[in-house]
Amino acid sequence: MSDQFSLLILPGDGIGTEVMAEVRKVIGWFGDKRGLSFSIDEDLVGGCAYDAHGTPLTDATMAKAQAADAVLLGAVGGPAYDNLDFSVKPERGLLRLRKEMDLFANLRPAQCFDALADFSSLKREVVAGLDILIVRELTSGVYFGEPRGIHADDNNPDNEGGRVGVNTQRYTSGEIRRVARAAFELAKKRGNRVCSMEKANVMESGILWREEVQWVHDNEYPEVELTHMYADNGAMQLVRRPSQFDVIVTDNLFGDILSDAAAMLTGSLGMLPSASLGAPAANGRPKALYEPVHGSAPDIAGQGKANPIACILSFAMALRYSFDKGADADLLERAVEKVLADGARTADLMGPEGGTPVSTSEMGDRILQALDALA
Ligand code: NAD
């Protein structure tokens, strides 16, 4: 009997519901045609949860997320909620999920489909076929370190303006080791190479980072290739020759910047999936939240214009990283590649070379047809 995977689906607001409807079709296909067995629950998050319950995430939904093998989220937010109190804004639902599930490893693939290589700001030959994964530490580092704040710079008459702003880059060895383990595990499911990025040349926290990543490698993952690079050089290399990388692991601040830069290597926001992983549960599967990088896109919501591929590729990540179904994930990515190569384009992908305009649901249907053709 095959494993049963529990999946909590949170479509959210705006185009979140539209793109998730296409993911539901894809999930159905993998159930029917590949014998994968999912127990699916669906619930509210964000503005729609606020409308129904007065909170962007109820305790009951939070509990379901903690119990699920994976959570798949669409997007949250919209102009109707812009003036709500900070404590009940739609984004608070998302932040609560990330915090309470302790999702410390954020995964952002930068994958360039051949048919879209001309969308990149870099030359086609630099990005065509690109497939890298940036693993960013998400719950510590300079965004959280204490002390922090802005205060008077007493007894410093030379400071024009008289104030000082402080943030603290702080990492424990345990925080570094756990995200390093996540990166090595991921590399084993891909190209078996990890490049760790920090600034060990000027920061003590960078020296600790480098030593701890090396320790995890030497003691637990000697079979994975590990290199180290200063993060500023890493930024240069990402735009010079991105294909040299497989998995990049880095801290919260550098990861924030490097993953946004890498995203633009591949073109449209409607194409970018992400995952956030936590510690492995008793069944060995990590706590996991999969979501497209884009938001609820109120400017196109309800018009059938949204590109569902980012959300569909987020489900492919769930297949690969939560359910250990790498071959099925590959199949889904190849189906997306085929549909794009055949010329189907939602409005966001319509470039000067043209293509066949398709709606959100037509894009989903074409991906199902491609799955049938490739399976
Ligand atoms: P956005 O990502 O929603 O949209 C930015 C632009 O990209 C828009 O022009 C939109 O039409 C386009 N776009 C985004 N996704 C697309 C897709 N799948 N297909 C085609 N076009 C797409 O960002 P925004 O406009 O800054 O924010 C809108 C709302 O979404 C806000 O309420 C914001 O707070 C929220 N938001 C949520 C998340 C999330 O849920 N993770 C992330 C970012 C923004």
Side-chain angles (χ1 to χ4, degrees):
M1 213 186 87
S2 62
D3 285 346
Q4 166 135 132
F5 306 124
S6 64
L7 198 54
L8 175 64
I9 293 188
L10 303 172
D13 306 316
I15 65 166
T17 56
E18 297 168 55
V19 297
M20 197 61 85
E22 303 314 305
V23 179
R24 296 290 299 239
K25 293 183 194 167
V26 170
I27 295 172
W29 187 94
F30 277 91
D32 293 346
K33 306 282 176 73
R34 301 283 282 193
L36 302 192
S37 173
F38 297 100
S39 73
I40 298 179
D41 197 353
E42 184 166 323
D43 215 324
L44 303 176
V45 67
C48 59
Y50 176 80
D51 290 339
H53 305 295
T55 170
L57 188 78
T58 64
D59 291 345
T61 312
M62 187 65 237
K64 286 184 196 174
Q66 294 283 20
D69 289 329
V71 179
L72 197 56
L73 187 137
V76 298
Y81 310 104
D82 281 351
N83 296 322
L84 288 181
D85 185 72
F86 185 68
S87 64
V88 288
K89 274 191 182 292
E91 291 76 10
R92 301 300 298 174
L94 190 49
L95 293 176
R96 182 176 175 198
L97 282 167
R98 289 180 183 151
K99 183 166 191 297
E100 294 192 16
M101 291 168 77
D102 196 16
L103 303 172
F104 57 81
N106 180 239
L107 281 51
R108 291 266 297 263
Q111 198 172 11
C112 187
F113 292 97
D114 221 30
L116 299 183
D118 292 326
F119 264 79
S120 173
S121 50
L122 298 188
K123 293 191 201 90
R124 161 177 278 276
E125 59 269 27
V126 177
V127 293
L130 183 72
D131 181 9
I132 63 182
L133 178 65
I134 299 193
V135 180
R136 165 189 172 194
E137 200 290 326
L138 200 59
T139 53
S140 184
V142 74
Y143 294 161
F144 296 94
E146 298 282 346
R148 63 186 296 158
I150 300 175
H151 54 80
D153 192 14
D154 295 332
N155 308 321
N156 184 2
D158 295 335
N159 178 4
E160 182 191 350
R163 297 190 301 162
V164 58
V166 177
N167 289 93
T168 303
Q169 166 82 334
R170 180 179 188 280
Y171 270 106
T172 65
S173 46
E175 288 167 341
I176 300 167
R177 287 184 187 191
R178 69 180 185 172
V179 74
R181 278 188 193 103
F184 287 120
E185 285 293 332
L186 293 162
K188 282 168 57 176
K189 296 179 181 174
R190 300 171 39 96
N192 212 40
R193 290 184 294 126
V194 171
C195 180
S196 171
M197 294 187 187
E198 28 55 18
K199 290 280 289 174
N201 49 343
V202 286
M203 297 170 75
E204 285 76 7
S205 60
I207 295 173
L208 185 73
W209 183 280
R210 186 174 283 221
E211 289 175 357
E212 294 298 347
V213 173
Q214 189 69 48
W215 187 93
V216 173
H217 171 266
D218 295 349
N219 288 279
E220 300 174 20
Y221 298 93
E223 73 282 16
V224 180
E225 183 187 314
L226 171 66
T227 52
H228 301 275
M229 194 177 274
Y230 298 137
D232 50 343
N233 183 27
M236 265 196 301
Q237 296 300 329
L238 263 179
V239 290
R240 191 179 76 90
R241 200 167 56 83
S243 58
Q244 69 187 279
F245 299 112
D246 176 27
V247 174
I248 293 171
V249 62
T250 190
D251 75 11
N252 203 342
L253 171 64
F254 297 138
D256 194 1
I257 296 165
L258 293 171
S259 63
D260 271 11
M264 278 303 101
L265 301 176
T266 66
S268 167
L269 197 51
M271 294 292 300
L272 295 171
S274 80
S276 301
L277 305 183
N283 63 7
R285 293 180 189 141
K287 289 268 173 74
L289 173 73
Y290 297 88
E291 54 181 325
V293 169
H294 65 71
S296 58
D299 54 334
I300 57 165
Q303 301 172 37
K305 288 184 179 167
N307 181 354
I309 292 178
C311 203
I312 289 172
L313 292 177
S314 300
F315 175 65
M317 292 185 78
L319 287 172
R320 179 172 288 119
Y321 299 125
S322 279
F323 305 138
D324 222 5
K325 295 287 175 191
D328 291 297
D330 286 346
L331 176 66
L332 182 49
E333 287 167 0
R334 280 192 289 121
V336 169
E337 171 99 67
K338 175 170 166 37
V339 166
L340 295 172
D342 291 346
R345 298 282 186 271
T346 43
D348 58 309
L349 301 179
M350 199 55 89
E353 85 288 7
T356 311
V358 295
S359 67
T360 308
S361 69
E362 284 166 344
M363 183 60 100
D365 292 342
R366 281 172 182 246
I367 290 171
L368 297 189
Q369 288 158 13
L371 283 167
D372 277 333
L374 293 169

